Amino acid sequence: MSANHFEDVRVVNNVRVEGVACSMPEKVCEVSDLAGKFGEENIQKIMASTGVFRRHVVDGECSSDLCVAAAERLIEDLAVDRASIDTLIFVSQTHDHTLPATACILQERLKLSVGVAAFDVALGCSGYVYGLWLASSLIAGGGSRRVMLLVGDTISKIVSEEDRSVAALFGDAGSATLLQYDETAQPMSFVLGTDGRGAKNLIVPAGGFRDRSGSASEISEPELRGPFDLFMNGAEIFAFTLARVPSLVKALHESRQDMGLAIDHYVFHQANKFMLEHLAKRMKLPREKVLLDLENVGNTSCTSIPLALSLAGLEQDNRVTGLMMLAGFGVGYSWAGCIIDYDKVWVSPMTYTGVSKEPV
């Protein structure tokens, strides 16, 4: 594979997505409530641009709690034998601890076999598609037979309430996706890429081992954002997205031309309304095929793709069928896209941490 062309397509065979479940916190924060802090006119502009009107945010829960709720729902709905799950992957930027790996804790909480392979992956906006690629590659290579992929973030915990660029944008959610070996499954096509030159444009500078005390941060602003808070350079993120995503989508389209198949739905990382609508227009994608579902949940980082799919109302009898293009892009810089044939994939009703009710 060439080192300079991120458009290279990686194909994985003999893997089927069995089901998807998502979970959100019960607590809801209205964006309009921030008008007293940032001004009514500014908040109206933010809502119009981002498309976010309210967000579900944790009230003490961690990403792992949200993922456990989703996983338990999926296991129950599909009557999964826990002993059949041989691999557990946890994708998140908001882990429970510096160590041990949260996946180890999740193995015990979900009562999976001690023979399960469990590990963490630290990725954000592209994390769900990267997780699908990693899980499906393990299965296709014979190293695993059934993988539980848990993807979740609680970004609200690292956002300064005084930072207008992010305070009204991020929500929290968790997801569970079950994949297994199936020699009759249609091939999955993946495009993956990384450009670490953009790392500084979406970052929490302190708290890791590079700067544990927060003393060396260069992007802190008094009374706005501290070294342990999320910093986002929105203009640079937008420019990166416009530069990378169209080529990613083009490569995936070209990879499936020989099969004569049309994409039924495009499920992109739910960054913000303006960005997604601009991308759809620029790439001349049918607007009705591009899922957009930020209004009641916000940008939920690595969980946004499965969450958008779960909220879209595409399923009949809790099952979704169709050819899906998924694409995540952002923090890192990192990007990942795939085409997956959803063959009656189970989608569980939304679960709320601590409360069971219908979605907002």
Side-chain angles (χ1 to χ4, degrees):
M1 183 175 297
S2 65
N4 298 319
H5 294 86
F6 75 89
E7 298 90 347
D8 289 334
V9 177
R10 313 175 192 212
V11 178
V12 178
N13 295 297
N14 303 326
V15 181
R16 176 168 61 89
V17 176
E18 293 185 75
V20 178
C22 290
S23 173
M24 291 191 293
E26 177 189 15
K27 181 180 177 181
V28 176
C29 289
E30 300 286 341
V31 175
S32 59
D33 290 343
L34 296 173
K37 179 176 294 186
F38 300 122
E40 181 67 33
E41 184 177 352
N42 285 327
I43 287 300
Q44 290 299 325
K45 288 180 179 179
I46 288 172
M47 290 192 292
S49 175
T50 64
V52 179
F53 288 80
R54 60 192 57 85
R55 301 157 297 127
H56 288 257
V57 298
V58 291
D59 188 12
E61 306 100 313
C62 289
S63 304
S64 61
D65 300 318
L66 301 177
C67 288
V68 164
E72 290 289 2
R73 181 61 190 260
L74 190 59
I75 289 170
E76 178 182 352
D77 287 349
L78 294 179
V80 175
D81 178 3
R82 295 172 196 256
S84 69
I85 299 172
D86 56 27
T87 305
L88 170 66
I89 303 172
F90 178 61
V91 180
S92 180
Q93 299 169 115
T94 49
H95 305 269
D96 286 14
H97 308 283
T98 300
L99 58 89
T102 304
C104 296
I105 298 171
L106 288 167
Q107 174 274 332
E108 192 278 331
R109 292 184 65 183
L110 291 173
K111 304 304 179 187
L112 302 183
S113 165
V114 294
V116 73
F119 56 93
D120 291 358
V121 176
L123 283 171
C125 314
S126 65
Y128 184 69
V129 181
Y130 259 96
L132 290 175
W133 168 71
L134 181 54
S136 60
S137 296
L138 288 171
I139 294 171
S144 302
R145 295 286 295 186
R146 205 176 202 186
V147 178
M148 177 66 80
L149 172 65
L150 303 181
V151 179
D153 259 328
T154 50
I155 300 298
S156 70
K157 291 190 173 190
I158 54 174
V159 168
S160 169
E161 295 181 355
E162 307 302 321
D163 189 346
R164 191 175 69 183
S165 66
V166 294
L169 181 60
F170 290 97
D172 304 324
S175 68
T177 303
L178 196 62
L179 301 94
Q180 75 168 25
Y181 179 83
D182 184 347
E183 62 184 14
T184 68
Q186 292 293 321
M188 300 179 180
S189 301
F190 289 89
V191 170
L192 309 163
T194 311
D195 184 355
R197 292 174 296 179
K200 64 183 181 296
N201 292 320
L202 191 54
I203 188 172
V204 178
F209 289 94
R210 181 66 62 186
D211 182 7
R212 287 180 62 79
S213 65
S215 59
S217 174
E218 298 178 356
I219 59 175
S220 298
E221 297 183 36
E223 300 181 1
L224 176 63
R225 180 194 319 109
F228 297 93
D229 296 323
L230 178 70
F231 166 78
M232 181 175 72
N233 186 329
E236 290 295 329
I237 297 297
F238 186 72
F240 150 74
T241 302
L242 294 186
R244 290 303 191 190
V245 176
S247 295
L248 180 155
V249 171
K250 180 181 178 182
L252 287 171
H253 276 154
E254 292 176 347
S255 74
R256 301 302 291 263
Q257 277 187 347
D258 60 327
M259 301 183 68
L261 297 174
I263 304 298
D264 293 301
H265 297 286
Y266 296 86
V267 193
F268 295 155
H269 166 53
Q270 303 289 292
N272 67 64
K273 178 183 176 182
F274 177 79
M275 181 183 290
L276 292 181
E277 289 184 339
H278 189 84
L279 278 173
K281 183 177 181 180
R282 179 168 177 170
M283 294 183 289
K284 299 180 180 180
L285 303 178
R287 181 60 188 85
E288 67 277 7
K289 290 188 176 184
V290 180
L291 299 190
L292 182 62
D293 211 324
L294 293 109
E295 182 174 346
N296 296 315
V297 298
N299 179 336
T300 55
S301 185
C302 59
T303 326
S304 74
I305 291 175
L307 187 61
L309 183 63
S310 296
L311 294 172
L314 303 176
E315 69 274 9
Q316 294 184 353
D317 298 324
N318 291 105
R319 294 189 181 274
V320 173
T321 297
L323 197 64
M324 307 290 178
M325 181 183 291
L326 316 180
F329 39 86
V331 59
Y333 293 139
S334 175
W335 59 92
C338 66
I339 293 179
I340 296 181
D341 187 7
Y342 274 49
D343 182 15
K344 297 181 179 180
V345 172
W346 174 268
V347 177
S348 293
M350 188 64 62
T351 296
Y352 291 82
T353 52
V355 175
S356 179
K357 63 181 182 180
E358 291 300 312
V360 172

